[in-house]
Amino acid sequence: MTAAAVPAASPASTGEESGVRLARSRRNAELSLLLLAMVLVAAYAAMIEAKALDTITPDFWIPAAALGLVFLGLHLVIRWLAPYADPALLPAVALLNGIGVGFLRRYDLAKATPAEREDLAVFAGTGGRQLAWTLAAVVLAAALLAILRDHRSLSRYAYTLGLAGIVLVMIPAVLPSRFSEINGAKLWIKFGGFSIQPGEFAKLALLTFFAYYLVRKREVLSLASRRVLGIDFPRGRDLGPVLVVWLVSLLVLIFEKDLGTSLLYFGMFVVTLYIATERVSWLLIGLILFFGGAYLAYVLGSTVGGPFANFYDRAQIWLDPFAEPYDRGYQLVQGLLTLGTGGLFGAGPGGGQPALLPEVQTDFIFAGIGEEIGLFGLSALLVIYLLIVERGLRAALAVRDSFGKLLAGGLAFTLGLQVFVIVGGISKLIPLTGQTTPFLSAGGSSLMANWLLIALLLRVSDGARRPVTGGGGPAARPAGGPPEQLHGAPTEVIRP
C-alpha cells in the first residue's frame, strides 16, 4: 500500500507505530525460532552420544547451551541495531551452525579410542575449535552490524573493496605451493600452524564492487544489438566486463587449481548482471563462456599439461572415480559409498563411520552427515539453505535502492551457488572442488566470511522492511549510494 492510500488514523495506529509493533513481534518470533533451533541441536547431541557411547553423558547439553548464549547475544544486537531485519535468517543459520558443531564432536568421538570417548571433553578436538570459531564469527557479524548502519554506505568504498578482493584472490596463486596448497588446490595462506582462505572474504568484497559497478552501467549493458529466437543479445562492444571476469575466473581455475572458486566468482558476476539488466542473454553468454573455458582447460590439460594438468586429473576422477578406487578416486568413491550407506533414513546420529571418509570434517561433511541422517535428513538441510536464499532474495525484492537489490540478490545467489558446488562435487554431479559447506564444515575462514554474508543480508533486510517516514528521514531517502530504482521498482513498504 502506498503512502497516499493510507487513511487518516490516530497517532497510536500510524504506519510508523504499527511498523514498530510489527518489528517487535518479529524479533520475538526470531527469539522463539532460535530457542527451537537450540533445542534441536541439543537433541541431536544427545542422540549422537546415545548411539556412539551407548549412554548420554551429563554434560551433553553444554555445547548447545554455549551456542545458544552466543546466538542470543547476536539476537540482542539485531534487536537493537537492526530491529526490522528478517526474523528467519538468524534461527536458520544457527541451526545449521549447531548441527555442524554437533557432527564435528561426533567426528572427534569416532577418532578417539573406546577408552577415551567417555572422557572426551565437550570443548576438545575439532568440535571445540569450531565452537570457538563460531564465537569469533558471530562477534565479527555483530561488529559489522554496529559499524554498517546503512548498506548503501558500502557503495562509497566499492572500488577499494574491488581492489582488495582482487588482491585477496591473487595472493594464494602467487605464493609458493608450500605456503598456499592443500589437497591440490592453491586457496590458502599458511604460516606456522595457522591457515586462512582469503578467497572466502574476497567474494564479499568483489560482490560489493559488482553491485556498485552494475548499478552505474546497467543502462548501457541493457542495450540490445539483435534479437535471436526471442532473446535480445547485447552489443559486441558491451561484452568487455563479462570477458574480463571470465578471464579472471579461468586464471583462478588454472593457477589456483579449483573449479569451485572459479565458478563462484564468475557465476556471481553473471547473475548480478542478469539481476541488473533482466537480460536472459547474459546468462546464456555466461554459461557458454564458462563451460567453453572449462572444456578448453580440459583439452589443454590432456595435451599440454603444465598448469592445466591438475584440472584434467580432477575431471578424469569425476568421469570415472571407480577406475582407481584405492588411489586417485578413493575420496570420491568413499563419499559415494557413504551416501549410499545412509539410504533414505540413515544409520542415526552417531551410527555412521565418519573416520573412514577422508576430509569428512571439511570438504565431505555433507556426505558424513548424510550417512547418519539419510536422504530425508539431507533434504531437510537443503531446505534450510533454500530458506536462507529465499529470504535473501525477498530482501532484494523489497529494498528500495538499486545497490541494495543487487547486493542482496548477489549475496543470496552466492550462498546458494556455494552449496550447489560442494553438494554437486560429493555427489559426482560436477568435479570435486575445494569449497566448504557453509556453516557446517570445520574452519574459521569460511565460517567468518559466511556470517559476514548473513550480517549484510540482515542489514539489507532491515532497510527493506523499515517503514518509510513522512519527514524524509533516512528510510525515505537514500543517505548515500545510488538513488536509482531498478526498472521502476515500487517504493512502497513490503513486509513479507
Side-chain angles (χ1 to χ4, degrees), residues 334-425:
Q334 291 300 310
L336 294 173
L337 292 176
T338 298
L339 289 173
T341 302
L344 291 177
F345 301 100
Q353 299 291 331
L356 301 179
L357 181 59
E359 304 299 331
V360 68
Q361 75 277 20
T362 51
D363 296 9
F364 274 71
I365 193 169
F366 205 75
I369 294 176
E371 182 184 15
E372 299 191 345
I373 64 176
L375 178 62
F376 287 156
L378 289 183
S379 299
L381 291 182
L382 291 177
V383 168
I384 297 174
Y385 281 116
L386 184 62
L387 173 65
I388 298 171
V389 173
E390 185 270 336
R391 302 306 291 190
L393 293 176
R394 180 166 292 194
L397 290 172
V399 74
R400 292 175 287 273
D401 66 285
S402 302
F403 176 73
K405 288 180 181 294
L406 295 183
L407 181 63
L411 290 170
F413 172 80
T414 299
L415 181 64
L417 181 60
Q418 186 169 349
V419 174
F420 166 78
V421 164
I422 185 62
V423 174

Side-chain angles (χ1 to χ4, degrees), residues 158-174 198-199 201-207 209-210 244-245 248 251-252 256 265 268:
Y159 287 101
T160 303
L161 289 171
L163 178 61
I166 293 173
V167 172
L168 289 173
V169 171
M170 290 176 58
I171 290 175
V174 300
F201 302 95
K203 67 184 181 185
L204 301 179
L206 291 173
L207 188 57
F209 170 73
F210 292 161
V244 170
V245 178
V248 171
L251 292 177
V252 170
E256 296 195 355
Y265 293 153
M268 68 184 187

